[in-house]
Amino acid sequence: MKGKHIVLGITGGIAAYKSVMLLRLLIKSGAEVQVVMTPSAKEFVSPVTFASLSSKPVVSEFFTANSGEWHSHVDLGLWADLMVVAPATASTIGKMANGIADNMLVTTYLSAKEDVMVAPAMDLDMWNHPGTQRNIATLEKDGVIIVQPGSGELASGLEGKGRMAEPQEILEEIKKYFNKRKDLSGLKAMVTAGPTYENIDPVRFIGNYSSGKMGYEVARELDERGAEVTLISGPVNLPVPSDSIKKIEVVSAQEMYTEAKKIFDENQIAVFAAAVADYAPVEVAENKIKRENQEEMTITLKRNPDIAASLGALKKGQTTVGFALETQNELENAKRKLHDKNFDIIVLNSMQHPQAGFMKDTNKVTIINQNGEIEDFDVKSKRAVAKDIVDAIKKWREND
Ligand code: CTP
């Protein structure tokens, strides 16, 4: 659960007090939780309790009344690895099933790119009502995971089905959900990420704006799904997403190539997400180059090894994935790179889209495979894009 992003939606029911425990369990298991409350949920438990336990202000309104600060349900939907609505009242279930977006919680649900889990809580008659059952069936059809309510004493004094599952049970369901995705166990994967720096002298280099985020998210996703991951990273300012990922730090393209070549044979999956500098200075000055009085200066560059293409030529059954960042003739260039570098899959980053590319947290990609299949994706967080890429790898390996 470490590092998992969970949006915990709380609606107005007595069972909201149990969500305090659920939040505590989630935090203790290493998850990062953002609580979203409906206005009526705040009548049951104070947002202060949830804010202190999650170390994040609770989101409830579309904007903060005094400052006008806008809370983006779209950003929250992108951020989440899973949204859990617990307790979910009959009213919220009805709104979710019918897309009635009149509060922050339902708008977040409608914007969620990842899966959603719902733990209903209500009186037995409400639970048994055909309206509720119809809405539950709709949610199930929409792919929502329902944590069935338990039977027992209800807040109304009646006995029957309708009480929210216990926090520990909900936590188990959440863990089970994430564990089910360990579909790459037993496989080894390598990922190149970040920029490379090509030294000019001891204090200067040629580099690029790559933040490394996309590669790091792919490494995280592969790791979470059970693969044994080695991340070969150029200079970036990012923490390694998990203790179980082995990181090899490099600076130049030549170093990245040397390290990648050493381990390529032992991996079944190789993802080339690094923005490798194509050229490096022929000579690296031993001392800092002085300005002197030159109006112009020339640095002669030599070609760097093409890591992906060289290793692609040595392939023995590995699934290789490359990236293409194009500004023109996007699809055509991506297809050419897929072929030239012997990739099985290429991920085309759209430079045309304002929410895609270097330094951003979001990306808009098209995934193309050797069979000529092309899939276009919406703008998503880089984490969600990583999931789509790993899904594509999985599918390719199954059909190959
Ligand atoms: N790549 C690599 N080694 C290089 C250059 C690129 O491994 N020396 C990999 C990148 O990691 C990426 C893919 O090749 O997965 C395409 O990178 P890109 O820079 O778009 O391709 P280039 O071949 O350098 O083409 P150009 O810069 O001319 O568009």
Side-chain angles (χ1 to χ4, degrees):
M1 295 284 290
K2 189 163 169 261
K4 286 280 187 293
H5 290 175
I6 295 177
V7 167
L8 176 59
I10 300 169
T11 71
I14 297 283
Y17 80 91
K18 290 193 194 171
S19 310
V20 177
M21 200 45 171
L22 175 59
L23 172 58
R24 239 181 75 77
L25 290 171
L26 287 169
I27 299 284
K28 264 174 69 181
S29 61
E32 225 183 293
V33 185
Q34 172 63 61
V35 174
V36 180
M37 295 176 87
T38 60
S40 66
K42 292 191 282 186
E43 310 269 335
F44 289 86
V45 183
S46 160
V48 179
T49 309
F50 293 111
S52 356
L53 286 174
S54 64
S55 311
K56 283 187 204 299
V58 166
V59 176
S60 184
E61 315 297 336
F62 290 108
F63 57 89
T64 309
N66 51 5
S67 65
E69 187 200 346
W70 171 253
H71 303 137
S72 168
H73 51 88
V74 176
D75 286 352
L76 262 183
L78 286 172
W79 177 84
D81 293 318
L82 178 71
M83 179 174 183
V84 181
V85 185
T89 56
S91 160
T92 294
I93 288 170
K95 287 181 188 177
M96 288 168 72
N98 294 287
I100 300 170
D102 67 348
N103 64 37
M104 190 66 191
L105 191 148
V106 184
T107 46
T108 305
Y109 163 68
L110 294 174
S111 310
K113 298 272 184 200
E114 296 300 320
D115 287 325
V116 179
M117 196 178 271
V118 158
M122 65 197 77
D123 212 46
L124 82 159
D125 294 324
M126 291 174 84
W127 174 253
N128 287 330
H129 193 280
T132 308
Q133 288 306 316
R134 206 165 42 238
N135 288 333
I136 290 283
T138 303
L139 288 185
E140 277 185 313
K141 205 165 103 238
D142 293 344
V144 173
I145 304 156
I146 310 288
V147 185
Q148 288 295 323
S151 289
E153 196 183 326
L154 301 166
S156 60
L158 296 172
E159 290 258 341
K161 192 166 175 180
R163 60 191 272 173
M164 187 175 88
E166 293 306 316
Q168 190 64 45
E169 277 170 57
I170 301 175
L171 179 77
E172 292 310 319
E173 286 298 320
I174 298 172
K175 282 190 176 162
K176 213 157 66 189
Y177 167 79
F178 285 118
N179 280 340
K180 215 167 45 203
R181 293 175 50 216
K182 293 240 178 266
D183 50 359
L184 298 176
S185 297
L187 293 176
K188 286 187 166 189
M190 57 182 274
V191 179
T192 68
T196 63
Y197 287 177
E198 312 300 329
N199 286 347
I200 298 170
D201 70 13
V203 295
R204 302 183 181 94
F205 61 84
I206 298 174
N208 60 65
Y209 288 121
S210 167
S211 61
K213 279 181 191 154
M214 197 58 250
Y216 273 56
E217 288 301 344
V218 171
R220 175 208 299 278
E221 180 69 19
L222 288 164
D223 170 72
E224 282 180 1
R225 289 169 67 166
E228 193 181 323
V229 181
T230 308
L231 177 60
I232 305 174
S233 174
V236 297
N237 208 352
L238 294 171
V240 187
S242 153
D243 296 341
S244 47
I245 296 176
K246 181 174 172 211
K247 182 181 173 186
I248 300 173
E249 287 180 14
V250 297
V251 176
S252 66
Q254 186 59 53
E255 283 170 22
M256 188 175 270
Y257 174 60
T258 307
E259 295 301 329
K261 197 160 177 241
K262 271 190 216 161
I263 62 167
F264 183 65
D265 268 356
E266 65 200 50
N267 282 279
Q268 289 80 45
I269 297 168
V271 180
F272 299 95
V276 186
D278 289 326
Y279 289 87
V282 171
E283 279 174 47
V284 180
E286 209 174 301
N287 296 305
K288 187 181 167 205
I289 300 171
K290 301 300 282 179
R291 172 153 49 107
E292 287 162 358
N293 268 335
Q294 311 178 73
E295 279 305 317
E296 288 181 359
M297 77 176 292
T298 306
I299 299 171
T300 309
L301 304 174
K302 63 173 191 295
R303 230 180 147 122
N304 271 332
D306 187 321
I307 304 168
S310 316
L311 299 183
L314 304 174
K315 235 157 90 166
K316 291 189 206 94
Q318 284 96 334
T319 304
T320 59
V321 181
F323 284 75
L325 184 69
E326 305 292 339
T327 52
Q328 55 199 359
N329 303 331
E330 295 186 321
L331 209 53
E332 195 183 309
N333 281 331
K335 282 184 181 165
R336 189 177 42 77
K337 279 180 192 169
L338 176 81
H339 177 260
D340 290 353
K341 304 198 188 203
N342 199 18
F343 290 133
D344 297 289
I345 294 167
I346 195 154
V347 183
L348 169 64
N349 282 301
S350 169
M351 280 297 277
Q352 318 286 18
H353 201 283
Q355 279 171 287
F358 278 8
M359 320 285 279
K360 304 257 171 52
D361 286 328
T362 48
N363 212 353
K364 168 140 183 40
V365 303
T366 303
I367 298 181
I368 307 155
N369 68 25
Q370 276 278 8
N371 293 341
E373 289 159 345
I374 300 175
E375 203 172 348
D376 258 322
F377 293 86
D378 292 338
V379 173
K380 293 186 181 189
S381 65
K382 285 190 171 166
R383 195 183 274 207
V385 172
K387 182 170 176 283
D388 292 335
I389 294 170
V390 175
D391 283 345
I393 295 173
K394 173 93 196 307
K395 203 164 124 206
W396 179 259
R397 291 186 63 82
E398 278 169 0
N399 298 336
D400 202 20

